[in-house]
């Protein structure tokens, strides 16, 4: 029978005890993609949207979200983050913003969730700041790209088109 790490002996939810795990440097990189209309992307690039500088606001939102991940995901450990970064690739064809986030810590558990939450909240912030001019924005391809550290070592996601 498979044992589940987040269930206690009675089948109830339980936070995993990581106190006996060694501290290692851990890095996680995630992405999200926000699909926009060409006109919306043009306004974003010119900082001409009604709510202002979209990418600066989305960067700050992503960093703030990473720092609060344990408050959002019930069994996620609160981490001391050494670094969080949010980067953007503005692509004209097809019109989209690719978000890449990176979270780094030294500790007994990984930072995958912090990187993923940062990407999702940065994407949601782009949506929020662009919705005045476009309602059919699509957020997709939220995924872990890479993780390093810990017992399981390195994970590298396969490349997508």
């Amino acid at each position: 029978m498979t044992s589940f790490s987040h269930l206690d002996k009675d089948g109830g939810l339980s936070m995993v005890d990581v106190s006996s795990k060694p501290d290692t440097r851990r890095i996680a990189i995630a992405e999200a993609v926000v699909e926009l209309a060409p006109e919306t992307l043009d306004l974003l690039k010119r900082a001409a949207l009604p709510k202002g500088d979209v990418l600066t606001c989305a960067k700050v939102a992503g960093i703030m979200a990473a720092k609060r991940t344990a408050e959002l995901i019930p069994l996620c450990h609160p981490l001391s983050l050494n670094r969080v970064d949010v980067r953007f690739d503005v692509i004209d064809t097809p019109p989209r913003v690719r978000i890449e986030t990176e979270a780094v810590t030294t500790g007994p558990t990984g930072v995958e969730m912090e990187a993923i939450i940062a990407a999702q909240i940065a994407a949601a912030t782009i949506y929020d700041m662009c919705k005045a001019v476009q309602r059919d924005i699509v957020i997709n391809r939220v995924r872990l790209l890479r993780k390093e550290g810990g017992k399981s070592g390195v994970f590298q996601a396969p490349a997508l088109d």
Side-chain angles (χ1 to χ4, degrees):
M1 180 174 150
T2 303
S3 100
F4 295 99
S5 63
H6 286 78
L7 297 179
D8 64 21
K9 63 180 175 49
D10 299 319
L13 290 177
S14 176
M15 186 180 220
V16 173
D17 182 357
V18 296
S19 61
S20 64
K21 292 173 69 177
D23 285 351
T24 61
R25 185 166 197 258
R26 296 164 184 270
I27 301 168
I29 299 172
E31 76 171 343
V33 175
V34 182
E35 298 175 7
L36 300 166
E39 301 79 17
T40 306
L41 187 68
D42 179 61
L43 291 168
L44 182 147
K45 288 174 18 179
R46 292 188 292 117
L49 284 155
K51 289 190 175 184
D53 184 349
V54 173
L55 298 184
T56 298
C57 191
K59 181 177 183 110
V60 172
I63 292 167
M64 290 174 64
K67 296 184 333 183
R68 301 194 70 165
T69 298
E71 295 175 34
L72 301 170
I73 308 231
L75 301 177
C76 197
H77 292 87
L79 300 180
S80 175
L81 294 170
N82 296 335
R83 179 172 184 270
V84 176
D85 191 21
V86 179
R87 301 178 287 270
F88 304 99
D89 188 13
V90 178
I91 302 163
D92 290 323
T93 307
R96 64 189 187 268
V97 177
R98 181 181 168 274
I99 303 160
E100 185 176 279
T101 61
E102 182 176 1
V104 179
T105 191
T106 300
T109 191
V111 289
E112 297 91 353
M113 295 313 302
E114 286 73 12
I116 288 170
I117 293 295
Q120 290 175 318
I121 296 303
T125 301
I126 291 171
Y127 181 99
D128 179 57
M129 295 191 71
C130 294
K131 71 183 181 201
V133 299
Q134 182 186 353
R135 294 283 179 172
D136 63 343
I137 297 165
V138 175
I139 297 170
N140 65 31
R141 211 165 87 186
V142 176
R143 68 184 185 134
L144 179 67
L145 294 176
R146 182 175 176 83
K147 77 136 209 104
E148 301 175 22
K151 185 170 68 174
S152 63
V154 175
F155 164 79
Q156 180 71 47
L160 299 176
D161 294 335

mmCIF file of all heavy atoms in Angstrom, residues 109-147:
data_model
loop_
_atom_site.group_PDB
_atom_site.id
_atom_site.type_symbol
_atom_site.label_atom_id
_atom_site.label_comp_id
_atom_site.label_asym_id
_atom_site.label_seq_id
_atom_site.Cartn_x
_atom_site.Cartn_y
_atom_site.Cartn_z
ATOM 1 N N THR A 109 13.230 21.868 3.149
ATOM 2 C CA THR A 109 12.156 21.589 2.200
ATOM 3 C C THR A 109 12.220 22.577 1.033
ATOM 4 O O THR A 109 12.804 23.654 1.161
ATOM 5 C CB THR A 109 10.778 21.606 2.901
ATOM 6 O OG1 THR A 109 9.781 21.098 2.023
ATOM 7 C CG2 THR A 109 10.409 22.978 3.390
ATOM 8 N N GLY A 110 11.634 22.187 -0.084
ATOM 9 C CA GLY A 110 11.789 22.924 -1.324
ATOM 10 C C GLY A 110 10.938 24.176 -1.453
ATOM 11 O O GLY A 110 10.077 24.462 -0.628
ATOM 12 N N VAL A 111 11.190 24.904 -2.528
ATOM 13 C CA VAL A 111 10.530 26.178 -2.788
ATOM 14 C C VAL A 111 9.694 26.154 -4.068
ATOM 15 O O VAL A 111 9.402 27.204 -4.633
ATOM 16 C CB VAL A 111 11.550 27.341 -2.856
ATOM 17 C CG1 VAL A 111 12.116 27.666 -1.498
ATOM 18 C CG2 VAL A 111 12.645 27.063 -3.859
ATOM 19 N N GLU A 112 9.285 24.964 -4.494
ATOM 20 C CA GLU A 112 8.487 24.865 -5.722
ATOM 21 C C GLU A 112 7.184 25.648 -5.611
ATOM 22 O O GLU A 112 6.800 26.356 -6.550
ATOM 23 C CB GLU A 112 8.163 23.398 -6.051
ATOM 24 C CG GLU A 112 9.371 22.536 -6.347
ATOM 25 C CD GLU A 112 9.943 21.840 -5.126
ATOM 26 O OE1 GLU A 112 9.499 22.122 -3.989
ATOM 27 O OE2 GLU A 112 10.848 21.014 -5.300
ATOM 28 N N MET A 113 6.499 25.511 -4.499
ATOM 29 C CA MET A 113 5.208 26.183 -4.353
ATOM 30 C C MET A 113 5.372 27.694 -4.337
ATOM 31 O O MET A 113 4.541 28.423 -4.885
ATOM 32 C CB MET A 113 4.473 25.702 -3.103
ATOM 33 C CG MET A 113 4.083 24.228 -3.160
ATOM 34 S SD MET A 113 3.301 23.711 -4.716
ATOM 35 C CE MET A 113 1.895 24.794 -4.793
ATOM 36 N N GLU A 114 6.435 28.184 -3.742
ATOM 37 C CA GLU A 114 6.673 29.630 -3.720
ATOM 38 C C GLU A 114 6.875 30.163 -5.138
ATOM 39 O O GLU A 114 6.341 31.221 -5.495
ATOM 40 C CB GLU A 114 7.877 29.953 -2.831
ATOM 41 C CG GLU A 114 7.598 29.829 -1.348
ATOM 42 C CD GLU A 114 7.455 28.392 -0.836
ATOM 43 O OE1 GLU A 114 7.782 27.429 -1.572
ATOM 44 O OE2 GLU A 114 7.024 28.219 0.315
ATOM 45 N N ALA A 115 7.625 29.442 -5.957
ATOM 46 C CA ALA A 115 7.846 29.864 -7.341
ATOM 47 C C ALA A 115 6.544 29.808 -8.141
ATOM 48 O O ALA A 115 6.247 30.719 -8.932
ATOM 49 C CB ALA A 115 8.924 29.002 -7.993
ATOM 50 N N ILE A 116 5.757 28.754 -7.947
ATOM 51 C CA ILE A 116 4.495 28.611 -8.681
ATOM 52 C C ILE A 116 3.487 29.682 -8.264
ATOM 53 O O ILE A 116 2.828 30.296 -9.107
ATOM 54 C CB ILE A 116 3.928 27.189 -8.496
ATOM 55 C CG1 ILE A 116 4.791 26.197 -9.291
ATOM 56 C CG2 ILE A 116 2.465 27.115 -8.921
ATOM 57 C CD1 ILE A 116 4.496 24.743 -9.003
ATOM 58 N N ILE A 117 3.363 29.928 -6.980
ATOM 59 C CA ILE A 117 2.437 30.967 -6.499
ATOM 60 C C ILE A 117 2.865 32.338 -7.009
ATOM 61 O O ILE A 117 2.034 33.153 -7.421
ATOM 62 C CB ILE A 117 2.330 30.944 -4.956
ATOM 63 C CG1 ILE A 117 1.650 29.664 -4.479
ATOM 64 C CG2 ILE A 117 1.617 32.184 -4.426
ATOM 65 C CD1 ILE A 117 0.201 29.515 -4.905
ATOM 66 N N ALA A 118 4.162 32.605 -7.009
ATOM 67 C CA ALA A 118 4.654 33.886 -7.538
ATOM 68 C C ALA A 118 4.249 34.054 -9.007
ATOM 69 O O ALA A 118 3.789 35.127 -9.412
ATOM 70 C CB ALA A 118 6.173 33.979 -7.387
ATOM 71 N N ALA A 119 4.387 32.998 -9.801
ATOM 72 C CA ALA A 119 4.016 33.070 -11.221
ATOM 73 C C ALA A 119 2.514 33.288 -11.386
ATOM 74 O O ALA A 119 2.081 34.104 -12.212
ATOM 75 C CB ALA A 119 4.456 31.790 -11.937
ATOM 76 N N GLN A 120 1.716 32.583 -10.594
ATOM 77 C CA GLN A 120 0.267 32.717 -10.713
ATOM 78 C C GLN A 120 -0.218 34.109 -10.315
ATOM 79 O O GLN A 120 -1.082 34.689 -10.978
ATOM 80 C CB GLN A 120 -0.429 31.653 -9.856
ATOM 81 C CG GLN A 120 -0.254 30.263 -10.413
ATOM 82 C CD GLN A 120 -0.847 29.206 -9.507
ATOM 83 O OE1 GLN A 120 -0.704 29.261 -8.285
ATOM 84 N NE2 GLN A 120 -1.522 28.234 -10.100
ATOM 85 N N ILE A 121 0.320 34.635 -9.246
ATOM 86 C CA ILE A 121 -0.129 35.956 -8.787
ATOM 87 C C ILE A 121 0.394 37.063 -9.703
ATOM 88 O O ILE A 121 -0.318 38.045 -9.960
ATOM 89 C CB ILE A 121 0.256 36.194 -7.312
ATOM 90 C CG1 ILE A 121 -0.467 35.191 -6.415
ATOM 91 C CG2 ILE A 121 -0.025 37.633 -6.888
ATOM 92 C CD1 ILE A 121 -2.000 35.222 -6.534
ATOM 93 N N ALA A 122 1.587 36.915 -10.226
ATOM 94 C CA ALA A 122 2.062 37.885 -11.216
ATOM 95 C C ALA A 122 1.141 37.872 -12.437
ATOM 96 O O ALA A 122 0.769 38.932 -12.962
ATOM 97 C CB ALA A 122 3.506 37.583 -11.613
ATOM 98 N N ALA A 123 0.733 36.683 -12.880
ATOM 99 C CA ALA A 123 -0.180 36.561 -14.029
ATOM 100 C C ALA A 123 -1.541 37.178 -13.708
ATOM 101 O O ALA A 123 -2.118 37.902 -14.527
ATOM 102 C CB ALA A 123 -0.332 35.097 -14.427
ATOM 103 N N ALA A 124 -2.071 36.897 -12.518
ATOM 104 C CA ALA A 124 -3.363 37.460 -12.124
ATOM 105 C C ALA A 124 -3.291 38.986 -12.033
ATOM 106 O O ALA A 124 -4.261 39.682 -12.353
ATOM 107 C CB ALA A 124 -3.821 36.865 -10.793
ATOM 108 N N THR A 125 -2.150 39.508 -11.628
ATOM 109 C CA THR A 125 -1.981 40.958 -11.551
ATOM 110 C C THR A 125 -1.969 41.577 -12.947
ATOM 111 O O THR A 125 -2.572 42.639 -13.170
ATOM 112 C CB THR A 125 -0.693 41.310 -10.769
ATOM 113 O OG1 THR A 125 -0.798 40.742 -9.456
ATOM 114 C CG2 THR A 125 -0.491 42.810 -10.667
ATOM 115 N N ILE A 126 -1.307 40.911 -13.888
ATOM 116 C CA ILE A 126 -1.351 41.389 -15.272
ATOM 117 C C ILE A 126 -2.792 41.405 -15.754
ATOM 118 O O ILE A 126 -3.253 42.379 -16.361
ATOM 119 C CB ILE A 126 -0.448 40.530 -16.184
ATOM 120 C CG1 ILE A 126 1.023 40.762 -15.826
ATOM 121 C CG2 ILE A 126 -0.714 40.838 -17.663
ATOM 122 C CD1 ILE A 126 1.998 39.820 -16.505
ATOM 123 N N TYR A 127 -3.535 40.328 -15.479
ATOM 124 C CA TYR A 127 -4.951 40.289 -15.861
ATOM 125 C C TYR A 127 -5.700 41.470 -15.249
ATOM 126 O O TYR A 127 -6.422 42.190 -15.937
ATOM 127 C CB TYR A 127 -5.587 38.967 -15.418
ATOM 128 C CG TYR A 127 -7.044 38.874 -15.819
ATOM 129 C CD1 TYR A 127 -7.428 38.176 -16.951
ATOM 130 C CD2 TYR A 127 -8.036 39.507 -15.078
ATOM 131 C CE1 TYR A 127 -8.758 38.104 -17.341
ATOM 132 C CE2 TYR A 127 -9.366 39.458 -15.453
ATOM 133 C CZ TYR A 127 -9.724 38.749 -16.581
ATOM 134 O OH TYR A 127 -11.032 38.698 -16.958
ATOM 135 N N ASP A 128 -5.538 41.665 -13.947
ATOM 136 C CA ASP A 128 -6.249 42.736 -13.253
ATOM 137 C C ASP A 128 -5.944 44.105 -13.852
ATOM 138 O O ASP A 128 -6.843 44.930 -14.017
ATOM 139 C CB ASP A 128 -5.882 42.724 -11.766
ATOM 140 C CG ASP A 128 -6.584 43.839 -11.014
ATOM 141 O OD1 ASP A 128 -7.833 43.888 -11.056
ATOM 142 O OD2 ASP A 128 -5.889 44.673 -10.400
ATOM 143 N N MET A 129 -4.694 44.328 -14.199
ATOM 144 C CA MET A 129 -4.315 45.646 -14.701
ATOM 145 C C MET A 129 -4.673 45.859 -16.171
ATOM 146 O O MET A 129 -4.675 47.000 -16.636
ATOM 147 C CB MET A 129 -2.834 45.876 -14.448
ATOM 148 C CG MET A 129 -2.550 45.927 -12.943
ATOM 149 S SD MET A 129 -0.927 46.499 -12.540
ATOM 150 C CE MET A 129 -1.041 48.227 -12.958
ATOM 151 N N CYS A 130 -4.977 44.770 -16.885
ATOM 152 C CA CYS A 130 -5.344 44.875 -18.308
ATOM 153 C C CYS A 130 -6.839 44.704 -18.561
ATOM 154 O O CYS A 130 -7.319 44.970 -19.661
ATOM 155 C CB CYS A 130 -4.581 43.829 -19.121
ATOM 156 S SG CYS A 130 -2.798 44.076 -19.187
ATOM 157 N N LYS A 131 -7.590 44.256 -17.568
ATOM 158 C CA LYS A 131 -8.999 43.906 -17.795
ATOM 159 C C LYS A 131 -9.875 45.091 -18.195
ATOM 160 O O LYS A 131 -10.928 44.902 -18.787
ATOM 161 C CB LYS A 131 -9.578 43.195 -16.577
ATOM 162 C CG LYS A 131 -9.792 44.093 -15.381
ATOM 163 C CD LYS A 131 -10.307 43.324 -14.192
ATOM 164 C CE LYS A 131 -10.513 44.295 -13.044
ATOM 165 N NZ LYS A 131 -10.540 43.638 -11.773
ATOM 166 N N ALA A 132 -9.437 46.302 -17.925
ATOM 167 C CA ALA A 132 -10.221 47.478 -18.336
ATOM 168 C C ALA A 132 -10.307 47.594 -19.855
ATOM 169 O O ALA A 132 -11.265 48.144 -20.378
ATOM 170 C CB ALA A 132 -9.611 48.754 -17.748
ATOM 171 N N VAL A 133 -9.321 47.031 -20.557
ATOM 172 C CA VAL A 133 -9.323 47.118 -22.016
ATOM 173 C C VAL A 133 -9.546 45.770 -22.701
ATOM 174 O O VAL A 133 -9.806 45.721 -23.901
ATOM 175 C CB VAL A 133 -8.029 47.767 -22.562
ATOM 176 C CG1 VAL A 133 -7.895 49.193 -22.042
ATOM 177 C CG2 VAL A 133 -6.807 46.949 -22.229
ATOM 178 N N GLN A 134 -9.445 44.677 -21.931
ATOM 179 C CA GLN A 134 -9.649 43.342 -22.512
ATOM 180 C C GLN A 134 -10.127 42.380 -21.434
ATOM 181 O O GLN A 134 -9.456 42.193 -20.428
ATOM 182 C CB GLN A 134 -8.351 42.826 -23.140
ATOM 183 C CG GLN A 134 -8.515 41.469 -23.787
ATOM 184 C CD GLN A 134 -7.208 40.874 -24.279
ATOM 185 O OE1 GLN A 134 -6.162 41.506 -24.274
ATOM 186 N NE2 GLN A 134 -7.278 39.628 -24.720
ATOM 187 N N ARG A 135 -11.254 41.742 -21.664
ATOM 188 C CA ARG A 135 -11.804 40.790 -20.686
ATOM 189 C C ARG A 135 -11.455 39.338 -20.985
ATOM 190 O O ARG A 135 -11.530 38.500 -20.103
ATOM 191 C CB ARG A 135 -13.329 40.920 -20.621
ATOM 192 C CG ARG A 135 -13.794 42.239 -20.078
ATOM 193 C CD ARG A 135 -13.662 42.282 -18.600
ATOM 194 N NE ARG A 135 -14.106 43.588 -18.118
ATOM 195 C CZ ARG A 135 -14.250 43.872 -16.864
ATOM 196 N NH1 ARG A 135 -14.002 42.992 -15.948
ATOM 197 N NH2 ARG A 135 -14.638 45.071 -16.503
ATOM 198 N N ASP A 136 -11.099 39.022 -22.218
ATOM 199 C CA ASP A 136 -10.873 37.617 -22.583
ATOM 200 C C ASP A 136 -9.404 37.208 -22.520
ATOM 201 O O ASP A 136 -8.919 36.388 -23.290
ATOM 202 C CB ASP A 136 -11.458 37.314 -23.970
ATOM 203 C CG ASP A 136 -10.790 38.129 -25.074
ATOM 204 O OD1 ASP A 136 -10.119 39.133 -24.782
ATOM 205 O OD2 ASP A 136 -10.952 37.729 -26.249
ATOM 206 N N ILE A 137 -8.689 37.749 -21.565
ATOM 207 C CA ILE A 137 -7.289 37.396 -21.339
ATOM 208 C C ILE A 137 -7.234 35.944 -20.861
ATOM 209 O O ILE A 137 -8.070 35.505 -20.070
ATOM 210 C CB ILE A 137 -6.671 38.339 -20.284
ATOM 211 C CG1 ILE A 137 -6.682 39.780 -20.798
ATOM 212 C CG2 ILE A 137 -5.270 37.892 -19.879
ATOM 213 C CD1 ILE A 137 -6.437 40.816 -19.733
ATOM 214 N N VAL A 138 -6.227 35.211 -21.318
ATOM 215 C CA VAL A 138 -6.063 33.816 -20.925
ATOM 216 C C VAL A 138 -4.741 33.667 -20.172
ATOM 217 O O VAL A 138 -3.693 34.117 -20.638
ATOM 218 C CB VAL A 138 -6.073 32.881 -22.156
ATOM 219 C CG1 VAL A 138 -5.771 31.449 -21.751
ATOM 220 C CG2 VAL A 138 -7.413 32.974 -22.878
ATOM 221 N N ILE A 139 -4.812 33.017 -19.026
ATOM 222 C CA ILE A 139 -3.615 32.661 -18.254
ATOM 223 C C ILE A 139 -3.450 31.151 -18.405
ATOM 224 O O ILE A 139 -4.377 30.392 -18.136
ATOM 225 C CB ILE A 139 -3.768 33.035 -16.772
ATOM 226 C CG1 ILE A 139 -3.915 34.544 -16.606
ATOM 227 C CG2 ILE A 139 -2.579 32.502 -15.957
ATOM 228 C CD1 ILE A 139 -4.313 34.982 -15.212
ATOM 229 N N ASN A 140 -2.276 30.732 -18.849
ATOM 230 C CA ASN A 140 -2.056 29.293 -18.996
ATOM 231 C C ASN A 140 -0.610 28.914 -18.729
ATOM 232 O O ASN A 140 0.202 29.738 -18.349
ATOM 233 C CB ASN A 140 -2.529 28.802 -20.383
ATOM 234 C CG ASN A 140 -1.725 29.385 -21.517
ATOM 235 O OD1 ASN A 140 -0.541 29.679 -21.384
ATOM 236 N ND2 ASN A 140 -2.365 29.576 -22.650
ATOM 237 N N ARG A 141 -0.348 27.651 -18.943
ATOM 238 C CA ARG A 141 0.991 27.061 -18.836
ATOM 239 C C ARG A 141 1.694 27.377 -17.520
ATOM 240 O O ARG A 141 2.905 27.633 -17.493
ATOM 241 C CB ARG A 141 1.832 27.483 -20.029
ATOM 242 C CG ARG A 141 2.845 26.424 -20.400
ATOM 243 C CD ARG A 141 3.427 26.639 -21.755
ATOM 244 N NE ARG A 141 4.577 27.512 -21.727
ATOM 245 C CZ ARG A 141 5.201 27.947 -22.818
ATOM 246 N NH1 ARG A 141 4.766 27.603 -23.995
ATOM 247 N NH2 ARG A 141 6.243 28.720 -22.711
ATOM 248 N N VAL A 142 0.972 27.344 -16.428
ATOM 249 C CA VAL A 142 1.608 27.488 -15.118
ATOM 250 C C VAL A 142 2.259 26.154 -14.805
ATOM 251 O O VAL A 142 1.585 25.114 -14.773
ATOM 252 C CB VAL A 142 0.585 27.859 -14.026
ATOM 253 C CG1 VAL A 142 1.268 27.914 -12.662
ATOM 254 C CG2 VAL A 142 -0.095 29.176 -14.351
ATOM 255 N N ARG A 143 3.563 26.162 -14.603
ATOM 256 C CA ARG A 143 4.254 24.898 -14.333
ATOM 257 C C ARG A 143 5.619 25.136 -13.720
ATOM 258 O O ARG A 143 6.202 26.217 -13.849
ATOM 259 C CB ARG A 143 4.400 24.077 -15.607
ATOM 260 C CG ARG A 143 5.335 24.691 -16.627
ATOM 261 C CD ARG A 143 5.360 23.867 -17.909
ATOM 262 N NE ARG A 143 6.334 24.386 -18.844
ATOM 263 C CZ ARG A 143 7.208 23.647 -19.515
ATOM 264 N NH1 ARG A 143 7.226 22.338 -19.359
ATOM 265 N NH2 ARG A 143 8.050 24.197 -20.355
ATOM 266 N N LEU A 144 6.111 24.095 -13.073
ATOM 267 C CA LEU A 144 7.471 24.088 -12.555
ATOM 268 C C LEU A 144 8.406 23.798 -13.716
ATOM 269 O O LEU A 144 8.211 22.819 -14.437
ATOM 270 C CB LEU A 144 7.621 23.028 -11.461
ATOM 271 C CG LEU A 144 9.005 22.893 -10.848
ATOM 272 C CD1 LEU A 144 9.373 24.138 -10.040
ATOM 273 C CD2 LEU A 144 9.070 21.651 -9.961
ATOM 274 N N LEU A 145 9.405 24.640 -13.907
ATOM 275 C CA LEU A 145 10.386 24.430 -14.969
ATOM 276 C C LEU A 145 11.603 23.663 -14.482
ATOM 277 O O LEU A 145 12.134 22.816 -15.189
ATOM 278 C CB LEU A 145 10.853 25.772 -15.542
ATOM 279 C CG LEU A 145 9.824 26.592 -16.287
ATOM 280 C CD1 LEU A 145 10.429 27.936 -16.691
ATOM 281 C CD2 LEU A 145 9.317 25.837 -17.505
ATOM 282 N N ARG A 146 12.050 24.003 -13.273
ATOM 283 C CA ARG A 146 13.284 23.401 -12.757
ATOM 284 C C ARG A 146 13.285 23.485 -11.245
ATOM 285 O O ARG A 146 12.771 24.435 -10.672
ATOM 286 C CB ARG A 146 14.492 24.147 -13.335
ATOM 287 C CG ARG A 146 15.822 23.582 -12.908
ATOM 288 C CD ARG A 146 16.968 24.290 -13.623
ATOM 289 N NE ARG A 146 18.253 23.818 -13.149
ATOM 290 C CZ ARG A 146 18.860 22.730 -13.583
ATOM 291 N NH1 ARG A 146 18.313 21.990 -14.518
ATOM 292 N NH2 ARG A 146 20.035 22.373 -13.092
ATOM 293 N N LYS A 147 13.859 22.486 -10.632
ATOM 294 C CA LYS A 147 14.121 22.555 -9.201
ATOM 295 C C LYS A 147 15.441 21.881 -8.918
ATOM 296 O O LYS A 147 15.835 20.944 -9.617
ATOM 297 C CB LYS A 147 12.984 21.944 -8.384
ATOM 298 C CG LYS A 147 12.954 20.460 -8.349
ATOM 299 C CD LYS A 147 12.678 20.036 -6.935
ATOM 300 C CE LYS A 147 13.218 18.761 -6.506
ATOM 301 N NZ LYS A 147 14.325 18.656 -5.694
#
